[in-house]
Amino acid sequence: NAGVTQTPKFQVLKTGQSMTLQCAQDMNHNSMYWYRQDPGMGLRLIYYSASEGTTDKGEVPNGYNVSRLNKREFSLRLESAAPSQTSVYFCASSERGREKLFFGSGTQLSVL
Amino acid sequence: DAKTTQPPSMDCAEGRAANLPCNHSTISGNEYVYWYRQIHSQGPQYIIHGLKNNETNEMASLIITEDRKSSTLILPHATLRDTAVYYCIVRVDNNDMRFGAGTRLTVKP
């Protein structure tokens, strides 16, 4: 099993460009999450999806949109990238809201 | 949500037990204590969690005080591969999870 797969691994954008980060899990998990991690900091929750068809804001949702395409996939979109969004983005999944999280390997995003 | 306090860094000799403390004095009755670790720039890895009883698994032991205001993660025989940032998180469920700065554990030969 691959677990949680994120694409791309690295991306450089110019200010104002848009892009979508992809995340897929093969563990039949109900809940999926997007986090960002700035240098030297802990992870902060951007958005989460407790189940297929639902999404909710986390701690830092501004500037992002998400789509829970199906049970496997949860994408994060930056409509107009800003330098403040330079970060490492992690996707995670769990069977249910209280179960342990499984994380992907991250996407390193730089916005110039 | 209950906040946690962890020392910013700790060292441990290889082969010795690593004891990582965490204070969570405002924890409420339905909040669990979770521990994750992050090795280098990888995604965090789940270690263990508990509500009020001590817990043990193949990776570590979790000791929670009787008043639940603090806990200790114990890695019984630390190896160089255990060098990582360790996060203590108190939460009701994943939807309100907060990762702080954690404790950077360095295992030395």
Side-chain angles (χ1 to χ4, degrees), chain B residues 25-47:
Chain B
S25 59
T26 60
I27 192 170
S28 57
N30 61 346
E31 289 183 307
Y32 288 75
V33 180
Y34 277 73
W35 283 84
Y36 284 79
R37 72 180 183 183
Q38 188 173 25
I39 297 174
H40 197 48
S41 302
Q42 299 174 20
Q45 176 190 25
Y46 167 84
I47 301 173

Side-chain angles (χ1 to χ4, degrees), chain A:
Chain A
N1 286 343
V4 179
T5 303
Q6 293 183 234
T7 55
K9 292 191 183 301
F10 301 93
Q11 184 71 47
V12 179
L13 293 177
K14 294 181 180 179
T15 297
Q17 287 185 316
S18 62
M19 79 159 294
T20 300
L21 280 63
Q22 306 287 352
C23 175
Q25 51 90 11
D26 62 3
M27 295 172 283
N28 202 36
H29 284 169
N30 291 296
S31 303
M32 298 186 72
Y33 310 82
W34 276 106
Y35 288 88
R36 61 176 286 175
Q37 185 173 31
D38 299 329
M41 307 280 287
L43 282 76
R44 291 184 293 171
L45 182 63
I46 305 171
Y47 270 94
Y48 65 93
S49 170
S51 61
E52 187 178 354
T54 68
T55 61
D56 284 285
K57 296 178 180 180
E59 185 182 0
V60 289
N62 291 345
Y64 305 95
N65 287 301
V66 291
S67 295
R68 183 75 183 267
L69 304 170
N70 48 54
K71 192 171 185 180
R72 288 188 65 246
E73 298 172 290
F74 188 38
S75 62
L76 178 72
R77 183 161 178 83
L78 287 70
E79 290 291 350
S80 179
S84 61
Q85 294 177 306
T86 293
S87 191
V88 179
Y89 291 83
F90 289 102
C91 177
S93 71
S94 66
E95 187 171 343
R96 286 180 181 80
R98 287 191 174 189
E99 300 299 319
K100 61 184 178 182
L101 291 168
F102 291 83
F103 283 84
S105 57
T107 295
Q108 190 161 332
L109 175 67
S110 295
V111 183
L112 306 178

Side-chain angles (χ1 to χ4, degrees), chain B:
Chain B
D1 298 336
K3 293 186 177 180
T4 61
T5 303
Q6 299 178 253
S9 64
M10 293 181 65
D11 291 341
C12 177
E14 188 178 20
R16 304 296 293 268
N19 295 278
L20 291 87
C22 180
N23 286 320
H24 32 78
S25 59
T26 60
I27 192 170
S28 57
N30 61 346
E31 289 183 307
Y32 288 75
V33 180
Y34 277 73
W35 283 84
Y36 284 79
R37 72 180 183 183
Q38 188 173 25
I39 297 174
H40 197 48
S41 302
Q42 299 174 20
Q45 176 190 25
Y46 167 84
I47 301 173
I48 199 167
H49 76 282
L51 184 61
K52 45 185 171 181
N53 296 325
N54 297 338
E55 302 287 345
T56 296
N57 63 20
E58 66 278 4
M59 289 183 69
S61 294
L62 173 61
I63 308 298
I64 302 174
T65 58
E66 194 168 338
D67 63 7
R68 303 212 318 128
K69 293 184 176 182
S70 66
S71 59
T72 301
L73 178 74
I74 301 173
L75 308 178
H77 305 287
T79 71
L80 299 178
R81 289 177 295 180
D82 291 321
T83 291
V85 177
Y86 287 78
Y87 298 100
C88 169
I89 302 161
V90 172
R91 61 165 181 76
V92 173
D93 58 40
N94 288 331
N95 301 341
D96 62 5
M97 178 171 284
R98 298 285 190 267
F99 285 80
T103 296
R104 182 172 297 277
L105 174 69
T106 303
V107 180
K108 298 185 174 181

